């Protein structure tokens, strides 16, 4: 087992032997104790979040056994591509994050009103950490849960404290949190008719600075 864990898989013969024998090891582990043979794999997806500017967002999807089965059902039973299911929720999530950042800047100082311009992202990281499914009443429901982290900058205008004009400032924000959304497929529907619900921010943390 130690030799397998430290094997140089860039060598064709070692890689071939590893691929031939590893599935048997996983099966033996699974029979030894429930859940012990489970492992996490990763898959990347990219969706377009702005057709006009051609902006794309990468999402890293972590998959355990249940997650891999969920993806298999989604893509094989429902004939739906993962990227198509993620498209609208990811766009909605990023719009909501930007909206909250703007609202956060503008509510920082009640005494001197602040107006914030559209925030531009330094980075946005999105991860899907959990996928699951449930069948009920003639439908299959797919649940997606994940986390985000992002950094933004925005032009901020604040009324001068002496009332003599406006101060042009720079706003910086670092935000993080969790999100979830649900997709459903009616067993009577044609394949690829997966209905995707709204994306909800479950937890939200923000560190905003203006200066």
């Amino acid at each position: 087992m130690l030799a397998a864990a430290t094997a140089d898989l860039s060598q064709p013969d070692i890689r071939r032997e590893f691929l031939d024998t590893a599935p048997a090891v996983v099966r033996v582990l699974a029979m030894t104790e429930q859940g012990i043979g489970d492992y996490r794999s990763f898959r990347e997806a990219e969706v377009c979040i702005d057709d006009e500017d051609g902006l794309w967002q990468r999402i890293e999807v972590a998959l355990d056994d249940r997650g891999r089965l969920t993806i298999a059902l989604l893509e094989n039973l429902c004939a739906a591509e993962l990227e198509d299911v993620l498209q609208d929720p990811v766009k909605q999530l990023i719009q909501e994050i930007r909206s909250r950042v703007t609202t956060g800047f503008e509510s920082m100082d009640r005494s001197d009103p602040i107006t914030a311009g559209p925030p531009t992202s330094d980075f946005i990281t999105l991860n899907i950490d959990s996928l699951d499914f449930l069948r009920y009443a003639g439908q299959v429901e797919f649940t997606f849960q994940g986390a985000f982290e992002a950094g933004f900058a925005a032009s901020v205008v604040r009324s001068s404290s002496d009332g003599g004009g406006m101060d042009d400032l720079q706003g910086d924000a670092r935000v993080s949190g969790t999100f979830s959304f649900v997709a459903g497929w009616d067993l009577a529907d044609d394949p690829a008719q997966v209905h995707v619900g709204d994306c909800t921010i479950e937890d939200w943390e923000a560190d905003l600075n203006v200066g």
Side-chain angles (χ1 to χ4, degrees):
M1 295 295 290
L2 179 60
T6 57
D8 181 5
L9 297 182
S10 66
Q11 300 296 322
D13 54 337
I14 296 177
R15 179 180 176 84
R16 184 167 53 251
E17 185 176 357
F18 186 87
L19 292 175
D20 287 342
T21 58
V25 174
V26 173
R27 285 196 296 271
V28 171
L29 287 173
M31 290 186 293
T32 302
E33 183 176 337
Q34 185 177 3
I36 198 172
D38 197 359
Y39 63 94
R40 291 176 76 82
S41 59
F42 297 90
R43 171 172 169 176
E44 285 188 356
E46 279 192 317
V47 300
C48 183
I49 58 174
D50 191 324
D51 295 325
E52 223 175 274
D53 295 332
L55 296 179
W56 291 72
Q57 175 64 46
R58 185 175 65 181
I59 307 100
E60 185 170 274
V61 184
L63 300 169
D64 56 10
D65 277 350
R66 189 72 176 181
R68 283 185 288 275
L69 180 55
T70 300
I71 292 292
L73 289 174
L74 186 67
E75 295 186 333
N76 296 306
L77 178 65
C78 304
E81 295 294 331
L82 176 62
E83 287 76 7
D84 293 337
V85 175
L86 293 176
Q87 181 84 46
D88 288 342
V90 167
K91 290 178 67 174
Q92 182 188 6
L93 174 63
I94 292 176
Q95 289 171 359
E96 177 63 18
I97 292 173
R98 292 181 185 276
S99 176
R100 290 195 182 199
V101 168
T102 299
T103 300
F105 282 134
E106 295 184 342
S107 61
M108 286 182 67
D109 193 339
R110 298 291 184 181
S111 57
D112 297 321
I114 291 177
T115 300
T120 58
S121 58
D122 297 325
F123 70 93
I124 301 176
T125 301
L126 297 182
N127 300 312
I128 302 290
D129 303 318
S130 174
L131 291 86
D132 205 350
F133 69 93
L134 176 68
R135 177 183 172 179
Y136 68 96
Q139 289 189 332
V140 180
E141 183 178 273
F142 301 94
T143 302
F144 296 76
Q145 294 179 314
F148 63 85
E149 186 175 358
F152 292 92
S155 174
V156 175
V157 177
R158 178 171 59 190
S159 299
S160 299
S161 56
D162 60 5
M166 308 293 287
D167 294 329
D168 292 323
L169 304 172
Q170 172 76 33
D172 296 298
R174 184 73 174 257
V175 301
S176 61
T178 61
F179 64 91
S180 67
F181 67 91
V182 173
W185 182 64
D186 193 311
L187 298 178
D189 283 347
D190 292 332
Q193 291 186 352
V194 176
H195 307 285
V196 184
D198 291 338
C199 186
T200 301
I201 293 179
E202 306 286 353
D203 298 304
W204 171 265
E205 292 186 8
D207 181 17
L208 286 79
N209 297 283
V210 173

